[in-house]
C-alpha cells in the first residue's frame, strides 16, 4: 500500500513501530476477517517485519512458499516503521472502528495499521502479480487497462495489476490517513 498524504515532522513513540508484537496480533485479527470473507485461509505461515521502506511505501508482501495445492502457504509482510513519516494509528480494538471519522480522534492524521496489515495480508493470500493462481486471471482490455476475470467476477485493476482500481477498496493502491478499510466481497472474489 502507498500513502495518499504528505509526511509530517516528529512523531511520538506511539505512532512508530517498535517491535512486531502488535503486528502479529493485528495480523491474526486480519487473517480472521479474510477467513470469514474467503471461507479458508488455513495453513498460511506468516512472518512480519519492520523496516525503513522507500518513500511513499507503507508496506509490502511476499509469497515465500506454496502449498501442494499451489496456493500461498508461507508469506512475509514488511511494514514501514513510521508509516512514511505520518505515523501509525495502532487500534487496540481493530474490529470496532469508532475512532474513524471523528475529528481530533487518535486515528486522525495517521495511517491505520490494521488496514495496511489487512491489505498486505490480501497480497500474501495471493492477490499478487507473479503468483500463477492470480496471474492467470489478469487480462489486458482493448484500451490497455488490466482486468481480473474469473468465474463470477470481473474487476478493473490498477496499472501495476496488483491492486483493485476502485479507490475505496481495501485492495486499492492508496490509503488516506484516518481511514479504515476491511476486506470486501470483491476482495474475496478476486
Amino acid at each position: 500500500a502507498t500513502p495518499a498524504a504528505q509526511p509530517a515532522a516528529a512523531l511520538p513513540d506511539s505512532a512508530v513501530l517498535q517491535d512486531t508484537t502488535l503486528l502479529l496480533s493485528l495480523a491474526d485479527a486480519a487473517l480472521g476477517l479474510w477467513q470469514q470473507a474467503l471461507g479458508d485461509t488455513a495453513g498460511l505461515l506468516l512472518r512480519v517485519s519492520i523496516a525503513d521502506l522507500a518513500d511513499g511505501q507503507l508496506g509490502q508482501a511476499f509469497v515465500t512458499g506454496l502449498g501442494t495445492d499451489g496456493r500461498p502457504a508461507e508469506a512475509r509482510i514488511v511494514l514501514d516503521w513510521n508509516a512514511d513519516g505520518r505515523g501509525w494509528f495502532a487500534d487496540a480494538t481493530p474490529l470496532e472502528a469508532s475512532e474513524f471519522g471523528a475529528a481530533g480522534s487518535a486515528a486522525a492524521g495517521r495511517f491505520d495499521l490494521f488496514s495496511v496489515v489487512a491489505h498486505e495480508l490480501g497480497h500474501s493470500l495471493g492477490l499478487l502479480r507473479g503468483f500463477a493462481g492470480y496471474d492467470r486471471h489478469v487480462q489486458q482490455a482493448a484500451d490497455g487497462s488490466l482486468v481480473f476475470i474469473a468465474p463470477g467476477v470481473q474487476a478493473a485493476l490498477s496499472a501495476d495489476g496488483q491492486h483493485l482500481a476502485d479507490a475505496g477498496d481495501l485492495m486499492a493502491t492508496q490509503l488516506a490517513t484516518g481511514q479504515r478499510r476491511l476486506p470486501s466481497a470483491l476482495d474475496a472474489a478476486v
Side-chain angles (χ1 to χ4, degrees), residues 1 26-35 37-38 40-41 44-48 59-66 71-79 113-131 133-135 148 157 161-164 169-173 181-190:
L26 292 175
D28 283 345
L31 192 59
L33 286 178
W34 276 107
Q35 190 167 14
L38 296 172
D40 179 26
T41 60
L44 181 68
L45 173 62
L46 182 65
R47 292 179 173 85
V48 297
Q60 53 190 191
F62 307 92
V63 172
T64 57
L66 300 176
R71 296 186 334 185
E74 296 180 18
R76 180 173 166 232
I77 293 175
V78 182
L79 295 177
L113 183 58
F114 186 66
S115 293
V116 175
V117 168
H119 173 96
E120 297 305 335
L121 192 52
H123 288 308
S124 298
L125 291 169
L127 201 154
L128 187 68
R129 291 305 296 260
F131 169 55
Y134 176 78
D135 285 344
F148 181 93
L157 298 174
Q162 297 195 130
H163 298 94
L164 295 174
D169 198 87
L170 171 67
M171 295 310 297
T173 302
R181 292 191 187 152
L182 301 174
S184 68
L186 181 58
D187 292 318
V190 170

